[in-house]
Amino acid sequence: MPYHMRVRAGAVIIEQDRILLTEYNDPNRGIVYDLPAGGVEPGESIIDAVKREAKEEACIEVEVGPLAFVYEYAPHLTGEKYGPVHTLVLMFECTRLSGLAARLPEQPDPNQTGVKWIALSQLEEIQLYADIGKQIQDYALHKRNIDLIEEHRL
């Protein structure tokens, strides 16, 4: 049975005033950037999805910390700007575990062209899939985290 809302999970990885972003060549918008994130698969926890997406999209292993922010894309309120699927995105503050440099995977997502560290001060100068550059900068300064409560850990 399909759900009326897709759940995505991803990583906010900030080091030395830079943030790790995935780069895409979107046929309609040109070069755009996104945080390493993707859909939570059936039978997968949100935390496991964050780890998997960081590895799949940027070839790094992460320790998942607290919830950084939640982003909702409601197509019925945006004229289907990014398509028809209502999506809730849970972004977690993460720390890179491996000493390996983030890089483009051997089999990247369609249209993915790179993985880049971008200065937080430049977020307003680049095009993000979701226009949340100011919110990311604010988060980096204030770190207002909330805990994810997982029933199986209670």
Side-chain angles (χ1 to χ4, degrees):
M1 173 174 129
Y3 293 94
H4 75 281
M5 184 179 288
R6 179 178 185 221
V7 176
R8 295 180 75 227
V12 177
I13 306 164
I14 299 172
E15 295 179 6
Q16 301 173 354
D17 294 322
R18 299 178 307 155
I19 188 164
L20 185 68
L21 299 175
T22 51
E23 178 188 75
Y24 297 86
N25 187 1
D26 185 290
N28 300 317
R29 300 172 65 198
I31 299 297
V32 293
Y33 295 89
D34 201 2
L35 295 159
V40 178
E41 296 177 356
E44 180 178 51
S45 74
I46 292 170
I47 299 301
D48 287 341
V50 175
K51 292 176 182 179
R52 177 181 51 77
E53 289 295 338
K55 191 164 192 153
E56 285 180 2
E57 294 188 357
C59 298
I60 60 169
E61 294 182 8
V62 295
E63 178 179 336
V64 180
L67 187 61
F69 55 87
V70 178
Y71 167 81
E72 179 188 20
Y73 166 68
H76 61 285
L77 299 176
T78 62
E80 295 193 4
K81 180 179 181 179
Y82 301 122
V85 180
H86 195 163
T87 306
L88 185 66
V89 185
L90 306 170
M91 297 304 301
F92 291 83
E93 182 177 328
C94 293
T95 304
R96 187 166 47 133
L97 288 179
S98 63
L100 299 174
R103 62 177 173 78
L104 186 67
E106 290 180 22
Q107 296 181 340
D109 287 350
N111 302 321
Q112 185 179 357
T113 56
V115 176
K116 296 191 175 178
W117 289 98
I118 303 289
L120 291 168
S121 61
Q122 293 180 321
L123 285 177
E124 294 180 49
E125 300 168 20
I126 64 171
Q127 187 171 19
L128 292 165
Y129 263 116
D131 189 19
I132 58 171
K134 287 182 183 180
Q135 289 82 1
I136 292 170
Q137 289 171 327
D138 185 61
Y139 172 77
L141 288 173
H142 298 70
K143 302 269 183 154
R144 296 175 311 273
N145 300 119
I146 59 173
D147 293 326
L148 172 68
I149 299 170
E150 298 172 280
E151 175 63 30
H152 69 278
R153 296 190 186 276
L154 297 177

